[in-house]
Amino acid sequence: AAAGKLLVVPVDGSHWLSMRELLDMLQQKGHEVVVVAPEVTLHIKPEKNLMMKMYPVPFTQEEMDRVP
């Protein structure tokens, strides 16, 4: 088997929490994983073991935190 390269554009929320575990396992198997996510999110945060590329959005973390 050969390792591959994966570009991941995740959906925030519980979907990300499940996907993060899967990405960790894929990296352990030798895959190169790059995650592209907005700078302001509920759950997607930069992690030392994942290559993260963040892009700007037109709202702040404080505004996001106020959304019910």
Side-chain angles (χ1 to χ4, degrees):
K5 295 182 179 185
L6 295 144
L7 176 64
V8 179
V9 184
V11 175
D12 206 356
S14 62
H15 291 88
W16 169 247
L17 300 176
S18 300
M19 180 170 284
R20 189 178 64 208
E21 292 182 37
L22 175 64
L23 298 178
D24 286 340
M25 288 189 286
L26 288 169
Q27 272 193 319
Q28 290 173 11
K29 301 267 185 200
H31 297 280
E32 182 181 336
V33 178
V34 177
V35 178
V36 178
E39 290 176 333
V40 177
T41 67
L42 294 173
H43 299 290
I44 304 169
K45 305 296 179 211
E47 297 185 30
K48 62 182 176 185
N49 62 334
L50 284 177
M51 169 70 78
M52 306 271 311
K53 300 288 185 179
M54 309 302 274
Y55 60 88
V57 291
F59 49 89
T60 66
Q61 186 68 50
E62 291 78 25
E63 291 170 319
M64 174 70 99
D65 293 341
R66 283 192 297 244
V67 175

Coordinates of all heavy atoms in Angstrom, one line a residue:
A1 N 0.8 -1.2 0.0 CA 0.0 0.0 0.0 C 0.9 1.2 0.0 O 2.0 1.2 0.6 CB -0.9 0.0 1.2
A2 N 0.4 2.3 -0.6 CA 1.2 3.6 -0.7 C 0.4 4.6 0.0 O -0.9 4.6 0.0 CB 1.4 4.0 -2.2
A3 N 1.1 5.6 0.6 CA 0.4 6.7 1.3 C 0.1 7.7 0.2 O 0.7 7.8 -0.8 CB 1.4 7.3 2.3
G4 N -0.9 8.6 0.6 CA -1.4 9.6 -0.3 C -1.4 10.9 0.3 O -1.1 11.1 1.5
K5 N -1.8 11.9 -0.5 CA -2.0 13.3 0.0 C -3.5 13.6 0.1 O -4.2 13.3 -0.9 CB -1.3 14.3 -0.9 CG 0.2 14.1 -1.0 CD 0.8 15.1 -1.9 CE 2.3 14.9 -1.9 NZ 3.0 16.0 -2.7
L6 N -3.9 14.2 1.2 CA -5.3 14.5 1.4 C -5.5 16.0 1.7 O -4.8 16.5 2.5 CB -5.9 13.7 2.5 CG -5.9 12.2 2.4 CD1 -5.7 11.5 3.7 CD2 -7.3 11.8 1.8
L7 N -6.4 16.6 1.0 CA -6.8 18.0 1.3 C -8.2 17.9 1.9 O -9.1 17.4 1.3 CB -6.8 18.8 0.0 CG -7.3 20.3 0.2 CD1 -6.3 21.1 1.1 CD2 -7.4 21.0 -1.2
V8 N -8.3 18.5 3.1 CA -9.6 18.3 3.8 C -10.1 19.7 4.1 O -9.4 20.6 4.6 CB -9.3 17.6 5.2 CG1 -10.6 17.5 6.0 CG2 -8.7 16.3 4.9
V9 N -11.4 19.9 3.7 CA -12.1 21.2 4.0 C -13.3 20.8 4.8 O -14.4 20.5 4.3 CB -12.6 21.9 2.7 CG1 -13.2 23.2 3.0 CG2 -11.4 22.1 1.7
P10 N -13.1 20.8 6.2 CA -14.1 20.2 7.1 C -15.3 21.2 7.3 O -15.2 22.4 7.2 CB -13.4 20.0 8.4 CG -12.3 21.0 8.3 CD -11.9 21.2 6.9
V11 N -16.4 20.6 7.8 CA -17.5 21.3 8.3 C -17.3 21.5 9.8 O -17.0 20.5 10.5 CB -18.8 20.6 8.0 CG1 -20.0 21.3 8.6 CG2 -19.0 20.4 6.5
D12 N -17.6 22.6 10.3 CA -17.4 22.8 11.8 C -18.5 22.1 12.6 O -19.5 21.8 12.0 CB -17.5 24.3 12.1 CG -16.7 24.7 13.3 OD1 -16.2 23.8 14.0 OD2 -16.6 25.9 13.6
G13 N -18.2 21.9 13.8 CA -19.2 21.2 14.7 C -18.8 19.8 15.0 O -17.6 19.5 14.9
S14 N -19.8 19.0 15.3 CA -19.5 17.6 15.7 C -18.8 16.8 14.5 O -18.1 15.8 14.8 CB -20.7 16.9 16.2 OG -21.7 16.9 15.2
H15 N -19.1 17.2 13.3 CA -18.5 16.5 12.2 C -17.0 16.6 12.3 O -16.3 15.7 12.0 CB -19.0 17.1 10.8 CG -20.4 16.9 10.5 ND1 -21.4 17.7 10.9 CD2 -21.0 15.9 9.9 CE1 -22.5 17.2 10.5 NE2 -22.3 16.1 9.9
W16 N -16.5 17.8 12.6 CA -15.0 18.0 12.7 C -14.4 17.1 13.9 O -13.4 16.5 13.7 CB -14.7 19.4 13.0 CG -13.2 19.6 13.4 CD1 -12.8 20.0 14.6 CD2 -12.1 19.3 12.6 NE1 -11.4 20.0 14.6 CE2 -11.0 19.6 13.4 CE3 -11.9 18.9 11.3 CZ2 -9.7 19.4 12.9 CZ3 -10.6 18.7 10.8 CH2 -9.5 19.0 11.6
L17 N -15.1 17.0 15.0 CA -14.6 16.2 16.1 C -14.4 14.7 15.7 O -13.4 14.1 16.0 CB -15.6 16.3 17.3 CG -15.8 17.7 17.8 CD1 -16.8 17.7 18.9 CD2 -14.5 18.4 18.2
S18 N -15.3 14.2 14.9 CA -15.2 12.8 14.4 C -14.1 12.7 13.3 O -13.3 11.8 13.3 CB -16.5 12.3 13.8 OG -17.5 12.3 14.8
M19 N -14.0 13.7 12.5 CA -13.1 13.7 11.4 C -11.6 13.8 11.9 O -10.7 13.2 11.3 CB -13.3 14.8 10.4 CG -12.4 14.8 9.2 SD -12.8 15.9 7.9 CE -14.1 15.0 7.2
R20 N -11.4 14.6 12.9 CA -10.1 14.8 13.5 C -9.5 13.5 13.9 O -8.3 13.2 13.6 CB -10.2 15.7 14.7 CG -8.8 16.2 15.2 CD -8.9 17.1 16.3 NE -9.5 16.4 17.4 CZ -10.2 17.0 18.4 NH1 -10.4 18.3 18.4 NH2 -10.7 16.3 19.4
E21 N -10.2 12.6 14.5 CA -9.7 11.3 14.8 C -9.3 10.5 13.6 O -8.3 9.8 13.6 CB -10.7 10.5 15.7 CG -11.0 11.1 17.0 CD -12.0 10.3 17.8 OE1 -12.0 9.0 17.7 OE2 -12.8 10.9 18.6
L22 N -10.1 10.5 12.6 CA -9.8 9.8 11.3 C -8.5 10.4 10.7 O -7.7 9.6 10.2 CB -11.0 9.9 10.4 CG -10.8 9.4 9.0 CD1 -10.6 7.9 9.0 CD2 -12.0 9.7 8.1
L23 N -8.4 11.7 10.7 CA -7.2 12.3 10.1 C -5.9 11.9 10.9 O -4.9 11.6 10.3 CB -7.3 13.8 10.1 CG -8.5 14.3 9.2 CD1 -8.6 15.9 9.3 CD2 -8.4 13.9 7.8
D24 N -6.0 11.8 12.2 CA -4.9 11.3 13.0 C -4.5 9.9 12.6 O -3.3 9.6 12.4 CB -5.2 11.4 14.5 CG -5.3 12.8 15.1 OD1 -4.7 13.7 14.5 OD2 -5.9 13.0 16.1
M25 N -5.5 9.1 12.4 CA -5.2 7.7 12.0 C -4.5 7.6 10.6 O -3.6 6.9 10.4 CB -6.4 6.8 12.1 CG -6.9 6.5 13.5 SD -8.2 5.3 13.5 CE -9.6 6.3 13.0
L26 N -5.0 8.4 9.7 CA -4.5 8.4 8.4 C -3.0 8.9 8.4 O -2.2 8.4 7.7 CB -5.3 9.3 7.4 CG -6.7 8.7 7.0 CD1 -7.5 9.8 6.4 CD2 -6.5 7.5 6.2
Q27 N -2.7 10.0 9.2 CA -1.4 10.4 9.3 C -0.5 9.4 9.9 O 0.7 9.2 9.4 CB -1.3 11.7 10.2 CG -1.5 13.0 9.4 CD -1.1 14.2 10.3 OE1 -1.4 14.2 11.5 NE2 -0.5 15.1 9.6
Q28 N -0.9 8.6 10.8 CA -0.1 7.6 11.4 C 0.2 6.5 10.4 O 1.2 5.8 10.5 CB -0.8 6.9 12.6 CG -0.9 7.9 13.8 CD -1.8 7.3 14.9 OE1 -2.1 6.1 14.9 NE2 -2.1 8.1 15.9
K29 N -0.6 6.3 9.4 CA -0.4 5.4 8.3 C 0.5 5.9 7.2 O 0.7 5.3 6.2 CB -1.8 4.9 7.7 CG -2.7 4.3 8.7 CD -2.5 2.8 8.7 CE -3.6 2.2 9.7 NZ -3.2 0.9 10.1
G30 N 0.9 7.2 7.3 CA 1.8 7.7 6.4 C 1.2 8.7 5.4 O 1.9 9.2 4.5
H31 N 0.0 9.0 5.5 CA -0.7 10.0 4.6 C -0.3 11.4 5.0 O -0.1 11.7 6.1 CB -2.2 9.8 4.6 CG -2.7 8.5 4.1 ND1 -2.8 8.1 2.8 CD2 -3.0 7.4 4.8 CE1 -3.2 6.9 2.7 NE2 -3.4 6.4 3.9
E32 N -0.2 12.3 4.0 CA 0.0 13.7 4.2 C -1.3 14.4 4.2 O -2.1 14.3 3.2 CB 0.9 14.3 3.1 CG 1.2 15.7 3.3 CD 2.1 16.2 2.2 OE1 2.8 15.5 1.5 OE2 2.0 17.5 1.9
V33 N -1.7 15.0 5.3 CA -3.0 15.6 5.4 C -2.9 17.1 5.6 O -2.1 17.6 6.4 CB -3.8 15.1 6.7 CG1 -5.1 15.7 6.8 CG2 -3.9 13.5 6.5
V34 N -3.6 17.9 4.8 CA -3.7 19.4 4.9 C -5.1 19.7 5.1 O -6.0 19.3 4.3 CB -3.1 20.1 3.6 CG1 -3.3 21.6 3.8 CG2 -1.7 19.7 3.4
V35 N -5.4 20.5 6.2 CA -6.7 20.9 6.5 C -6.9 22.4 6.2 O -6.0 23.2 6.7 CB -7.0 20.7 8.0 CG1 -8.4 21.2 8.4 CG2 -6.9 19.2 8.4
V36 N -7.9 22.8 5.4 CA -8.1 24.2 5.1 C -9.4 24.6 5.9 O -10.5 23.9 5.7 CB -8.3 24.4 3.6 CG1 -8.7 25.8 3.3 CG2 -7.1 23.9 2.8
A37 N -9.3 25.6 6.7 CA -10.4 26.0 7.6 C -10.4 27.5 7.8 O -9.4 28.1 7.7 CB -10.3 25.3 8.9
P38 N -11.6 28.1 8.1 CA -11.7 29.5 8.4 C -10.9 29.8 9.7 O -10.8 28.9 10.6 CB -13.2 29.8 8.6 CG -13.8 28.4 8.9 CD -12.9 27.4 8.2
E39 N -10.5 31.0 9.9 CA -9.8 31.5 11.1 C -10.7 31.5 12.3 O -10.2 31.2 13.4 CB -9.2 32.9 10.9 CG -8.0 33.0 10.0 CD -7.5 34.4 9.7 OE1 -8.3 35.3 9.9 OE2 -6.4 34.5 9.4
V40 N -11.9 31.7 12.1 CA -12.9 31.8 13.2 C -13.8 30.5 13.1 O -14.5 30.4 12.1 CB -13.7 33.1 13.1 CG1 -14.8 33.1 14.2 CG2 -12.8 34.3 13.2
T41 N -13.8 29.7 14.1 CA -14.6 28.5 14.1 C -15.1 28.2 15.5 O -14.6 28.7 16.5 CB -13.8 27.3 13.6 OG1 -12.8 27.0 14.5 CG2 -13.3 27.5 12.2
L42 N -16.0 27.2 15.6 CA -16.4 26.7 16.9 C -15.5 25.7 17.4 O -15.1 25.7 18.6 CB -17.8 26.1 16.8 CG -19.0 27.0 16.4 CD1 -20.3 26.2 16.2 CD2 -19.2 28.0 17.5
H43 N -15.1 24.7 16.6 CA -14.2 23.6 17.1 C -12.9 23.4 16.3 O -12.1 22.7 16.9 CB -15.0 22.3 17.0 CG -16.3 22.3 17.8 ND1 -16.3 22.2 19.2 CD2 -17.6 22.3 17.4 CE1 -17.5 22.3 19.6 NE2 -18.3 22.3 18.6
I44 N -12.8 23.9 15.1 CA -11.6 23.6 14.3 C -10.5 24.6 14.8 O -10.6 25.8 14.6 CB -11.8 23.8 12.8 CG1 -13.0 22.9 12.4 CG2 -10.6 23.5 12.1 CD1 -13.5 23.2 11.0
K45 N -9.5 24.1 15.5 CA -8.4 24.9 16.0 C -7.1 24.3 15.5 O -7.0 23.1 15.2 CB -8.4 24.8 17.5 CG -9.7 25.3 18.2 CD -10.0 26.7 17.9 CE -11.3 27.1 18.5 NZ -12.1 28.1 17.8
P46 N -6.1 25.2 15.3 CA -4.8 24.7 14.8 C -4.2 23.6 15.8 O -4.4 23.8 17.0 CB -3.9 25.9 14.8 CG -4.9 27.1 14.7 CD -6.1 26.6 15.4
E47 N -3.6 22.6 15.2 CA -3.1 21.5 16.0 C -1.7 21.3 15.6 O -1.4 21.3 14.4 CB -3.9 20.3 15.9 CG -5.3 20.4 16.4 CD -6.1 19.1 16.4 OE1 -5.5 18.1 16.6 OE2 -7.3 19.2 16.3
K48 N -0.8 20.9 16.5 CA 0.6 20.7 16.1 C 0.8 19.5 15.2 O 1.7 19.5 14.4 CB 1.5 20.6 17.4 CG 1.1 19.5 18.3 CD 2.0 19.4 19.5 CE 1.6 18.3 20.4 NZ 2.3 18.3 21.6
N49 N 0.0 18.5 15.3 CA 0.2 17.3 14.5 C -0.6 17.3 13.1 O -0.4 16.4 12.4 CB -0.3 16.1 15.3 CG -1.8 16.1 15.6 OD1 -2.4 17.2 15.7 ND2 -2.4 14.9 15.8
L50 N -1.3 18.4 12.8 CA -2.0 18.6 11.5 C -1.4 19.8 10.8 O -1.3 20.9 11.4 CB -3.5 18.7 11.7 CG -4.3 17.5 12.0 CD1 -5.7 17.9 12.2 CD2 -4.1 16.4 11.0
M51 N -1.2 19.7 9.5 CA -0.9 20.9 8.7 C -2.2 21.6 8.5 O -3.1 21.1 7.9 CB -0.3 20.4 7.4 CG -0.2 21.6 6.4 SD 1.1 22.8 6.8 CE 2.5 21.9 6.3
M52 N -2.3 22.8 9.0 CA -3.5 23.6 8.9 C -3.2 24.9 8.1 O -2.2 25.6 8.3 CB -4.0 24.1 10.3 CG -4.2 23.0 11.3 SD -5.8 22.1 11.4 CE -6.9 23.4 11.5
K53 N -4.1 25.2 7.2 CA -4.1 26.4 6.4 C -5.4 27.1 6.7 O -6.5 26.6 6.5 CB -4.0 26.1 4.9 CG -2.8 25.3 4.5 CD -1.6 26.2 4.5 CE -0.4 25.4 4.0 NZ 0.8 26.1 4.0
M54 N -5.3 28.3 7.4 CA -6.4 29.1 7.8 C -6.7 30.2 6.8 O -5.7 30.8 6.3 CB -6.2 29.6 9.2 CG -5.8 28.6 10.2 SD -6.9 27.2 10.4 CE -8.0 27.8 11.6
Y55 N -7.9 30.5 6.6 CA -8.3 31.7 5.7 C -9.2 32.6 6.5 O -9.9 32.3 7.4 CB -8.9 31.2 4.4 CG -10.2 30.4 4.6 CD1 -11.5 31.1 4.6 CD2 -10.2 29.0 4.6 CE1 -12.6 30.4 4.8 CE2 -11.4 28.3 4.8 CZ -12.6 29.0 4.9 OH -13.8 28.3 5.0
P56 N -9.0 33.9 6.1 CA -9.8 35.0 6.9 C -11.3 34.9 6.6 O -11.7 34.5 5.5 CB -9.2 36.3 6.4 CG -8.5 36.0 5.1 CD -8.2 34.5 5.1
V57 N -12.1 35.3 7.5 CA -13.5 35.5 7.4 C -14.0 36.8 7.9 O -13.3 37.5 8.6 CB -14.3 34.3 8.1 CG1 -14.0 33.0 7.5 CG2 -13.9 34.3 9.6
P58 N -15.2 37.3 7.4 CA -15.6 38.7 7.8 C -16.2 38.9 9.1 O -17.1 39.7 9.3 CB -16.5 39.0 6.6 CG -17.1 37.7 6.3 CD -16.0 36.7 6.4
F59 N -15.9 38.0 10.1 CA -16.5 38.1 11.4 C -15.4 37.7 12.5 O -14.5 37.0 12.1 CB -17.8 37.3 11.6 CG -17.7 35.9 11.1 CD1 -17.3 34.9 11.9 CD2 -18.0 35.6 9.8 CE1 -17.2 33.6 11.5 CE2 -18.0 34.3 9.3 CZ -17.5 33.3 10.2
T60 N -15.6 38.1 13.7 CA -14.6 37.8 14.7 C -15.1 36.6 15.6 O -16.2 36.1 15.5 CB -14.5 39.0 15.7 OG1 -15.8 39.2 16.4 CG2 -14.2 40.3 15.0
Q61 N -14.1 36.1 16.4 CA -14.4 35.0 17.2 C -15.5 35.4 18.3 O -16.4 34.6 18.6 CB -13.1 34.5 18.0 CG -13.4 33.2 18.8 CD -13.6 32.0 17.9 OE1 -12.9 31.7 17.0 NE2 -14.7 31.3 18.3
E62 N -15.4 36.6 18.7 CA -16.4 37.1 19.7 C -17.8 37.1 19.1 O -18.8 36.7 19.8 CB -16.1 38.5 20.2 CG -14.8 38.6 21.0 CD -13.5 38.5 20.2 OE1 -13.5 38.9 19.0 OE2 -12.5 38.1 20.8
E63 N -17.9 37.5 17.8 CA -19.2 37.4 17.2 C -19.7 36.0 17.0 O -20.9 35.7 17.2 CB -19.2 38.1 15.8 CG -19.0 39.6 15.9 CD -18.7 40.2 14.5 OE1 -17.9 39.7 13.7 OE2 -19.2 41.3 14.2
M64 N -18.8 35.1 16.7 CA -19.2 33.7 16.6 C -19.6 33.1 17.9 O -20.6 32.4 18.0 CB -18.0 32.9 16.0 CG -18.2 31.4 16.0 SD -19.4 30.9 14.7 CE -18.3 30.4 13.5
D65 N -19.0 33.5 19.0 CA -19.3 33.0 20.3 C -20.7 33.5 20.8 O -21.3 32.8 21.6 CB -18.2 33.4 21.3 CG -16.9 32.7 21.0 OD1 -16.9 31.6 20.3 OD2 -15.9 33.2 21.5
R66 N -21.1 34.6 20.3 CA -22.4 35.1 20.7 C -23.6 34.5 20.0 O -24.7 34.6 20.4 CB -22.5 36.6 20.4 CG -21.8 37.4 21.4 CD -22.1 38.9 21.3 NE -21.7 39.4 20.0 CZ -20.8 40.3 19.8 NH1 -20.2 40.9 20.8 NH2 -20.4 40.7 18.6
V67 N -23.4 33.7 18.9 CA -24.4 33.1 18.2 C -25.0 31.9 19.0 O -24.2 31.1 19.4 CB -23.9 32.6 16.8 CG1 -25.0 31.8 16.1 CG2 -23.4 33.7 15.9
P68 N -26.3 31.9 19.2 CA -26.8 30.8 20.1 C -26.8 29.4 19.4 O -26.7 29.2 18.3 CB -28.3 31.2 20.3 CG -28.6 32.3 19.3 CD -27.3 32.8 18.8

